Amino acid sequence: MSTSIREPLIFDYSRTGRGATAQWVAEEAAPALPAALRRVTPPALPAASELAVVRHYTRLSQLNFSIDTHFYPLGSCTMKYNPKACNSAALLPEFTGRHPLASEKHSQGFLRCMHELQEMLQEVTGMQSVSLSPMAGAHGEFAGVAMIRAYHLARGDVDRNEIIVPQAAHGTNPATATMCGCVVREISVNADGDVNIDELRAAVGPRTAGIMLTNPSTLGVFERRIEEVARLVHEAGGLLYYDGANLNAILGKVRPGDMGFDVIHMNLHKTFSTPHGGGGPGAGAVGVGPRLVPFLPVPLVGVEKRAGGEHFRLLTEADRPQSIGRLTGFMGNAGVLLRAYVYMRMLGREGMSRVGEYATLNSNYLFARLQKAGFEAAYPERRASHEFILTLKRLAAERGVTAMDVAKRLLDYGFHAPTTYFPLLVPECLLIEPTETESKETLDAFVTAMSEILREAAEKPEQLKGAPFTMPVRRLDDVRAARELDLVHR
Amino acid sequence: MSTSIREPLIFDYSRTGRGATAQWVAEEAAPALPAALRRVTPPALPAASELAVVRHYTRLSQLNFSIDTHFYPLGSCTMKYNPKACNSAALLPEFTGRHPLASEKHSQGFLRCMHELQEMLQEVTGMQSVSLSPMAGAHGEFAGVAMIRAYHLARGDVDRNEIIVPQAAHGTNPATATMCGCVVREISVNADGDVNIDELRAAVGPRTAGIMLTNPSTLGVFERRIEEVARLVHEAGGLLYYDGANLNAILGKVRPGDMGFDVIHMNLHKTFSTPHGGGGPGAGAVGVGPRLVPFLPVPLVGVEKRAGGEHFRLLTEADRPQSIGRLTGFMGNAGVLLRAYVYMRMLGREGMSRVGEYATLNSNYLFARLQKAGFEAAYPERRASHEFILTLKRLAAERGVTAMDVAKRLLDYGFHAPTTYFPLLVPECLLIEPTETESKETLDAFVTAMSEILREAAEKPEQLKGAPFTMPVRRLDDVRAARELDLVHR
Amino acid sequence: MPFIPHTEADVSEMLAAIGAPSIDALFDEIPANLRAAPLAGIPPGLNEMQVMQLMRARARQDGLPLCFIGAGAYDHFIPSAVWAIVTRGEFYSAYTPYQAEASQGTLQTIYEYQSMIAALTGMEVSNASLYDGATALAEAALMAVRTNRKSKSARILVPRAVNPHYRAVCASSASQQGLKFEDVAYDPASGQTARSALAAWDNEDVTAIVIQQPNFFGTLEDVDALTDWAHAKGALVIASVNPTSLALLKPPGQWGTKGADIAVGDGQPLGCPLSSGGPYFGFMTTRMEYVRQMPGRIVGRTVDLEGRPGFALTLQAREQHIRRGKATSNICTNQGLLMVAGTLYTALMGSEGLSRVARACMARSDELVKALTALPGVRAAFSGARFHEAVLLLDRPVAPVLQALAERGIEGGFDLGKHYPELGPALLVCATETRSTDDIALYASTLRDILQTARTA
Amino acid sequence: MPFIPHTEADVSEMLAAIGAPSIDALFDEIPANLRAAPLAGIPPGLNEMQVMQLMRARARQDGLPLCFIGAGAYDHFIPSAVWAIVTRGEFYSAYTPYQAEASQGTLQTIYEYQSMIAALTGMEVSNASLYDGATALAEAALMAVRTNRKSKSARILVPRAVNPHYRAVCASSASQQGLKFEDVAYDPASGQTARSALAAWDNEDVTAIVIQQPNFFGTLEDVDALTDWAHAKGALVIASVNPTSLALLKPPGQWGTKGADIAVGDGQPLGCPLSSGGPYFGFMTTRMEYVRQMPGRIVGRTVDLEGRPGFALTLQAREQHIRRGKATSNICTNQGLLMVAGTLYTALMGSEGLSRVARACMARSDELVKALTALPGVRAAFSGARFHEAVLLLDRPVAPVLQALAERGIEGGFDLGKHYPELGPALLVCATETRSTDDIALYASTLRDILQTARTA
Ligand SMILES: Cc1ncc(COP(=O)(O)O)c(C=O)c1O
Ligand SMILES: Cc1ncc(COP(=O)(O)O)c(C=O)c1O
């Protein structure tokens, strides 16, 4: 006897003559527009009351899982708690009201934060200099590879356009290489999760621009021969790119700069806990070792000693003639950067290394317990880093229950699904990253749910195909979505 | 195959040694406390992480219906949209940071708002003077009746301690009379919803302190003989109290002062759209006609012309020697008052009278449609005011389906229930108040749901007893709650 | 039409369904002579942009002075999480949880609140909030009279060291029902309410005594002695307490041999911003045996049709909507949303967090008193142990000094002259964990300047 | 341990379950010589109170000057409802909606966003956002090259009247793939990009042309002529537009005979605060026939197992997580939350609200230009019709004037000297609906003062 209440489209609340009229500024006699430039029919936007808009989007929001409501063991995504203080600070009226082109006089407070952020990120990565302007991880990758290319070009080394990428890499790595006009060379990964050094040795050469790695890798294990990798690539004249999406694993424990990397992007929206906002915004600051400093994207925040203290200003192309240039309209996702800054200041020195420690503790604990509960590890011989991979290939073969089925069923148990089918090379995989902000009880409850699902898979596997059952919708028809494209309301 | 996820108590997230440590200020060497005054065992408060607290209360919040998520046709409660601007303005840091005892120098902005609010409330009620300090409707009632008593006492009329209250009155009216040391005399209401004038005539006399009325009454109809009522009470030496909970019905249409009332409280958390907060806070400003001005509770906001403009200050007992005194620690729910002020400024003159008009339109429309759908009106001959009463006595007698059953089933349809079993004199009643901020479509959807329920009542009445089915809990055992008192977690 | 969604088409269809020719016709039962004229005294409406610009200008006018006033409202740091969640629409715009099944969020929060406040005060049961600390005290007095059936005098002893605003509220409200509030003197040296001051009532019928801890001067009372005195003579003990201080101080439930009977206070320090005095929330706890005399809403845990746990309002027979003229109080709307803030704040702080705040308050105010009494012309009034406030005596009238401080952006304290003229020029100052050593130094140097200038002028 | 809930007991139990002696042992696969030293360069942690005090002090340092800068970021009023809902945890702290069933809120919001942006631009389909307006333009250029298979030159014409920062981003990013961006001059009298300026390419292969409306000078381009010129020669048209202006201006979908092919812009004016330049969001719309070349996420409406409507990410084969090195772009994380803000803002404003804002912007900036050009030494640079910005020419260097204005609390505009030296001392000014007549008068009188003082000095 259930009555299902669905939320219609905002357009369904729309009626001609209606509006959130408290938002209507007075009619003004504006200068006349040339007739040819005028819009004739008004855009078909919703005409809804303020209550309807508020109610509609409040109700829509409730249809989401989120960190604030659910455990989100989403591998490679570092879905940790986003402290509310970071949001409050970034939304202080002087910060939200500051125009990106404001005078230096009205910018010293903000720029000081940004300068300190640059320095803190240098410290945690072991890099020499940092630019904050990239707006997400992939954007940081772009900056990084563009710098690598600029470096080679500046040395007259014009033919280096190959980027080596391990098989398990995140899709943005090869995509970025292409965006930078490079050619991607994939190398495989050993059964133990480490890069195949022989293939690497064969791959490097005079066309090698560099290699993109994340360490711990997206397989959830630490690349043990990283020093050898670095040596090989460097000896071949290439540079090393560190995809910092997994920095959470090693914060305060190892520094990419010390491992031999020449450039890194950081996902501040992962490691430094800025919210993911249902898809963004992020911030993909890039850090570089000595070779790449001149090429950093502008603007950077510089400091000068002046009478009366330090004075901060934005450095532009004029200050940095070898820069790869400008990657954003202004200086990147400043509001995200402020959130990361606040987070880092709250954590401080000790807090920073605790991140790596407890993220790794949680991950290894969950790894151990899930294996004990009957799940198969993709790399059973290895330590988990901040994340680990289970493979359900046996379950799929024996009971027809796939990683997707398990993921969907977890939603019914009140847990967001782990990352599924990534990395692509592990069949029927679940990539699980609990992060350090979740408690042992939550992890235990997750193990219980996973065990229940395993039991269900044994007892009534066909039913799992129907999961989820308790979400606002059942499983969606993706094929139809792509075939009968319905992308806008008409 | 549903898995029900329940939210445990915050205490279940608690572990010794845990805490939201970002909130821990540094340990300080405080002066030693005398041993006898020291606490020995720390209070058993939850020791939970910040994420656990955020997640727990976010999830709890989602278990609520609210204006921002649901239509709330709750009679006598005026659950209208609470504009977000009111909240933003009241939470400006200078307002939230202002100490109630701050100097006049740092108070002119706030006090100007409060003074203008006093004046606007005078204008809409037709009263001569307003005090903002009562913190809710009942508190305003207390102020009003206390002023009536003070008025009589000041005239040496010491025996007037009877308060006349119509049968249909809200419970706070008689309770307030008692709180003021008065005796309550109930008078009945005619079948047409108007007060029984003969009983009133019989009730008034030399002991009559006053009468408490709300008009439109809690029966949802306008007291047509209000002028006669006023004359009778005044001739008997009593005063007229207007319970302003229903002011929304007549805003801009009739003014209590013009009807002959001597004192009124307003529920700013109803008519003036401050949020109800799941039970409060409210603001119950009182307005008075000429006879009661000297007795208003302090503090009031006064204004003086000074060189350089108007200067505002709080008037206290020293300025108002006949005042009934102070009813609140400071000056009432200032933050609620600010929200009401902002709301009134946004509505302005025209907006104010539209409130009464459209609240009445919505109510009469719903009244007409529900009657057509087969529901029985308690006062079918009368115009609805901003609210109206249905009686389900026939349904209860014929099918055993009560007002409570219908109310609970409405929850399944995504509508908050109307007020049930109030006023007490109408059997199996639903008191329905849609307010002006709801759209015709919402009202239509409500009619559809009510019609569905009527159909269900005809077809499977016993099933309705089990409603609701889709809420976080089924119907709760109130008897057990009162018998086996479990009021705190141990 | 701000906040009204009706189109012209809607209006005509609706009028047709009603069978009325116009909206105006819906008011035809109102006598024509009563119909209001246009509201000339209300200014025309503003759009949201205009109103926010206006409010920002008003706010700017008041500024954010550096504040050392306490006197019943305390400037504590509030974690961002508190109001981020309190203002969620589901808490902010919900009604009183009469429909329990659709209000489990609010109900469970109240249950948790009751548990936390009971734990803090060391008492057995709590209600779901009252208006503020002052009205909570008045309600406690009324409750004491209902509860203490043996006492007939309705006489409540109230130390003069109790917050004078609270005393005023008791006088203007509870005395309507014939309660008699009688003053008890404080010791001019210590600032405490001495046991000896009660001697006058040793042989009198007393219904209850109020004990405020810390008292209005910030001084700590000898709560055990006062409590035992009262209980020995059959009087009830009403504790009026600062919730922050309870992290360190013996809770009312443990005062004396038997513990206080009713504990009340203002919950403002637990997550409510100063906000010009409200909204805050009053709390009240008592013994289980007195719960039926308690005013205000109470939530209980129970089970649903399927036996699953759930929460509901309970003991409603105490309340006005059921018992009407015989209810324990007329209170209906309470301070629900602030109760949510208090719950969130307390849950975030926990016992350790709260005691650190309390200790920091003591340390900071001690620092403040030391810094100010080091100035010529300023000395401490009382010798008793303090929590986070203190009375200072100046060598000249207080009001002009406070005004000079305000001109320089400092709210220097609360002038006690009106309520305690016998003290001479006395100033109540406060520092919480939010005031830094720099803030205190700035106050001290500014005050030195002002005192000096005045002296040399 | 801030944001880490582990108790000591938890840690030991967990280590026992793992079978590791210590947390440190979990790092035993990391070569010992690589282990990091303590992070001496990071200051000790602050509690939330301290960090908020710090941030408030930093914010105060920057203040809230009266701002007349536009140049790509516009100070519009944002209704309170927008951020009250955007910051709800369910939007704020959710991940990308890969698990559609647990993300219908975000997915439906994106679908509604796509619908609104398509309606505003008059185009058929929209993606779910890109980083910002500048990167959206660079992506549009890349998309044009992929789409316009007939053209081999990868040559994109970009008027100099296009935002110079956008041009810089195109140069530093899209040129990595060999795109050639070529400048088109503006008419020095009107400030428009004249059809005649394109003559040089009349017989050249051109892949696409960018048309910014209004252009960087605030001047309105003759979009029909430019569009038809491009289409006539087989070039695509990329529109770069200000969304507010689209309430009044002909949308890209209707430019010329066939309409623009791709429309991009920065969504900042739709509900995103200035915030030092971000986060904003880039939008992109196009024709249905080009949708498979579009970068970024796209949401489609579909049905679930039971046939009920629902929403899901679609056409993912364009994206990096599927197509890797052959994806349309490397973009992954986009500006989701700002897209939510844009959707809320646009839904609240509606077409009428937005066009009122646009008209108010025009009226205010016209007033500003009149007030400033009435001063001696200030004149308008261009004659073309404007939206809400204008170029002013001063009789002296711009930088010191701007600095003097800043000293007096006014951000006077954007100095064009660096990007358009040929204009001489030129200043780009802007006024939106948020600037009042009083604000403009204050700017004018302050500028008069400054110009006069300098003159007499
Ligand atoms: C390993 C890895 N690299 C790169 C990225 C790309 O980061 P972004 O989504 O911020 O562009 C991600 C995030 O999804 C990632 O997990
Ligand atoms: C008719 C009537 N009078 C008085 C009150 C009491 O107001 P409050 O709840 O604000 O004390 C109410 C509200 O419930 C009411 O509906």
Side-chain angles (χ1 to χ4, degrees), chain A residues 103 106 227 326 408 474, chain D residues 33 101 112 172 306 411:
Chain A
S103 65
H106 292 122
E227 289 167 296
R326 175 179 280 281
K408 296 300 183 195
R474 300 284 303 279
Chain D
N33 59 311
E101 300 84 356
E112 295 178 358
S172 59
E306 299 176 11
E411 291 291 336

Side-chain angles (χ1 to χ4, degrees), chain C residues 7 23 27 39 58-59 98 155 157 211 227 231 249 290 295 367 380 402 412 417 438:
Chain C
T7 66
I23 294 182
F27 294 91
L39 302 167
R58 297 265 166 98
Y98 291 128
R155 176 191 278 144
L157 303 189
I211 307 173
T227 300
H231 282 155
L249 297 179
Y290 300 156
E367 200 178 320
L402 284 181
D438 284 355

Side-chain angles (χ1 to χ4, degrees), chain B residues 258-434:
Chain B
D258 300 340
M259 291 190 255
F261 285 93
D262 300 287
V263 47
I264 173 179
H265 86 263
M266 292 150 266
N267 279 10
L268 305 191
H269 47 304
K270 299 181 175 177
T271 314
F272 301 106
S273 197
T274 72
H276 212 284
V286 282
V288 291
R291 281 182 266 226
L292 295 182
V293 171
F295 306 102
L296 277 171
V298 290
L300 297 162
V301 182
V303 61
E304 292 160 16
K305 301 260 178 245
R306 285 196 186 172
E310 292 174 315
H311 180 84
F312 300 91
R313 72 177 181 86
L314 289 178
L315 307 179
T316 62
E317 293 87 343
D319 307 283
R320 316 276 301 192
Q322 285 193 281
S323 165
I324 57 164
R326 177 179 278 280
L327 298 181
T328 67
F330 296 105
M331 70 157 287
N333 282 335
V336 179
L337 299 169
L338 278 172
R339 285 171 176 82
Y341 174 74
V342 171
Y343 176 76
M344 293 186 83
R345 291 302 303 266
M346 284 200 285
L347 253 50
R349 187 183 303 151
E350 328 74 20
M352 215 65 79
S353 29
R354 279 194 297 254
V355 166
E357 291 172 4
Y358 287 82
T360 303
L361 176 66
N362 271 2
S363 171
N364 278 282
Y365 175 69
L366 206 51
F367 188 44
R369 290 220 44 205
L370 286 172
Q371 286 184 86
K372 194 166 273 171
F375 286 92
E376 187 179 349
Y379 299 95
E381 304 303 313
R382 301 294 305 270
R383 279 272 182 236
S385 62
H386 65 309
E387 63 189 359
F388 60 89
I389 304 184
L390 301 180
T391 170
L392 305 184
K393 59 175 192 275
R394 231 175 36 212
L395 203 63
E398 290 171 10
R399 324 280 321 168
V401 171
T402 64
M404 181 64 80
D405 298 333
V406 172
K408 296 300 182 195
R409 184 63 179 146
L410 270 170
L411 305 178
D412 285 328
Y413 281 93
F415 295 104
H416 196 279
T419 299
T420 49
Y421 301 101
F422 172 78
L424 304 167
L425 75 150
V426 184
E428 296 299 335
C429 71
L430 296 176
L431 177 60
I432 299 180
E433 177 181 12

Side-chain angles (χ1 to χ4, degrees), chain A residues 83 85-87 89-90 92 95 108-121 132 268-269 271-275 283 285 310 312 333-349 352, chain D residues 3 41-47 50-59 61:
Chain A
C86 303
N87 190 49
L92 287 170
F95 289 139
Q108 293 302 302
F110 168 72
L111 290 178
R112 181 184 289 276
C113 295
M114 292 302 100
H115 190 261
E116 291 176 7
L117 178 59
Q118 287 176 184
E119 296 198 319
M120 289 193 291
L121 293 175
L132 301 172
L268 305 190
H269 47 303
T271 314
F272 300 105
S273 196
T274 71
E310 292 174 316
F312 300 90
N333 282 335
V336 179
L337 298 169
L338 278 172
R339 285 170 175 82
Y341 173 74
V342 171
Y343 176 76
M344 293 187 83
R345 292 301 306 263
M346 284 200 286
L347 252 50
R349 188 183 304 153
M352 215 64 79
Chain D
F3 316 124
I42 308 282
L46 301 177
N47 59 45
Q50 292 169 318
V51 91
M52 287 303 297
Q53 286 170 342
L54 174 78
M55 296 305 282
R56 284 202 197 99
R58 295 268 167 97
Q61 221 184 323

